[in-house]
Amino acid sequence: MFRRFFLCLLVPFFTFVVISCGSSSNLENQPSTPVNSVKRIVALTSLSSDIIEQLDSDKLVGMVGSRIFKDEQRFQSIPRVSQGQTLPSLEKIIALKPDLVIGAKGFSDRTLNKLKELGIATLSTDINNWTAFLEITKTIANLIEADPTPLLTRYQTFLTDIPQHNLSGLVLVSRQPILAPNKNSWAGDLLTQFNLNNVAADLQGTSPVQGYVTLSAEKILQENPEILLMVDPSLEGLIKEFQGESFWGQLQATQNDHVY
């Protein structure tokens, strides 16, 4: 039961955690300049690309290159304005003649600021909890004159049939340094939605990634989580790295094969 449930959890979890690390939610997200009906959008995050495509695929005219969507047919015909971790190309964005460019606060600031200087409307999103996720969906739907109801209803199905287990858990997203989300991030809030007791929820630190804390091996061993969720694009590399750590085999999660 654990493996089936947490594998299902990680599908939306991975998509959002790698692009949404804001530390404060902004439910008043609005374009930098007033726009009426938006017909052409370039999306600089995987999340905004997916939301737009679900609401009205004709409105998405450009997106960043994403490993998450590389095999999805519905995005194959959409022009890419960047590849991998490179910055989006201003020339490619401008050539697509967008009415609006949507990015993420902290990640897309440089590109969005330059586009604003050129008179192109931009929207900087800051999504760090479930409520903010619902609100940005409504905002985008309003901008493109689409009905968000079917998509919002689908979101709620993600939160059904959740086990009432109250297990302790920890999400690890990197090894050097060891980073984990606290309660002030999208990933941390999602753990709460899934009734998982995040052992890093109330920890504070000086991590450069807002909403995340840097952990020591001693701290992980002290908290000794029952569930470990590993966010890793390669699906195997991060776990292999941690398997070399002396504390790894001493955790409840690893001893009971509750690592996902």
Side-chain angles (χ1 to χ4, degrees):
M1 180 189 73
F2 287 128
R3 184 165 300 279
R4 177 166 51 87
F5 174 71
F6 284 106
L7 285 176
C8 290
L9 183 156
L10 278 179
V11 173
F13 182 91
F14 173 71
T15 302
F16 299 131
V17 73
V18 296
I19 58 180
S20 305
C21 301
S23 63
S24 61
S25 104
N26 176 9
L27 304 185
E28 309 245 335
N29 287 321
Q30 294 297 328
S32 57
T33 56
V35 290
N36 295 319
S37 178
V38 176
K39 304 294 184 183
R40 301 176 62 83
I41 301 179
V42 171
L44 304 183
T45 72
S46 300
L47 179 57
S48 55
S49 299
D50 205 356
I51 291 174
I52 298 162
E53 197 278 336
Q54 298 282 351
L55 291 170
D56 186 346
S57 59
D58 291 336
K59 302 296 172 62
L60 183 63
V61 300
M63 61 186 288
V64 289
S66 171
R67 185 180 299 179
I68 297 172
F69 296 141
K70 68 182 180 66
D71 296 323
E72 290 209 32
Q73 188 59 40
R74 60 196 173 107
F75 292 108
Q76 294 306 308
S77 63
I78 306 299
R80 297 321 199 248
V81 298
S82 73
Q83 295 297 328
Q85 300 298 315
T86 62
L87 286 174
S89 165
L90 290 177
E91 291 78 12
K92 290 182 179 179
I93 294 174
I94 294 169
L96 293 170
K97 300 180 179 180
D99 302 316
L100 179 67
V101 178
I102 301 178
K105 180 180 178 181
F107 291 88
S108 311
D109 292 353
R110 179 177 175 182
T111 300
L112 295 182
N113 288 335
K114 289 184 177 181
L115 291 171
K116 282 191 289 186
E117 293 174 1
L118 296 172
I120 297 175
T122 63
L123 174 59
S124 181
T125 64
D126 187 10
I127 304 170
N128 75 337
N129 57 46
W130 186 260
T131 301
F133 174 47
L134 301 179
E135 291 300 322
I136 195 60
T137 300
K138 295 174 185 176
T139 296
I140 293 175
N142 181 61
L143 289 169
I144 65 176
E145 298 183 332
D147 179 10
T149 305
L151 192 51
L152 293 173
T153 300
R154 184 179 167 206
Y155 290 168
Q156 295 308 313
T157 67
F158 300 156
L159 301 181
T160 60
D161 300 324
I162 296 175
Q164 301 299 311
H165 42 56
N166 196 35
L167 294 172
S168 63
L170 179 66
V171 176
L172 297 177
V173 300
S174 70
R175 177 172 166 266
Q176 295 182 333
I178 301 176
L179 284 181
N182 61 18
K183 63 184 179 182
N184 300 317
S185 67
W186 161 262
D189 184 74
L190 196 60
L191 293 178
T192 301
Q193 300 294 333
F194 282 93
N195 293 328
L196 195 64
N197 178 23
N198 179 13
V199 297
D202 295 318
L203 300 180
Q204 300 298 321
T206 58
S207 166
V209 184
Q210 295 182 348
Y212 285 70
V213 293
T214 302
L215 299 179
S216 65
E218 291 76 17
K219 184 62 176 178
I220 296 175
L221 193 55
Q222 175 186 332
E223 296 296 339
N224 200 8
E226 297 169 273
I227 300 288
L228 277 173
L229 300 179
M230 317 292 289
V231 181
D232 181 17
S234 69
L235 298 182
E236 295 181 353
L238 191 59
I239 290 180
K240 288 183 177 180
E241 290 180 16
F242 273 105
Q243 285 174 339
E245 298 284 355
S246 59
F247 70 86
W248 187 254
Q250 302 177 54
L251 300 175
Q252 295 182 81
T254 57
Q255 292 174 353
N256 295 320
D257 194 26
H258 289 167
V259 180
Y260 308 95

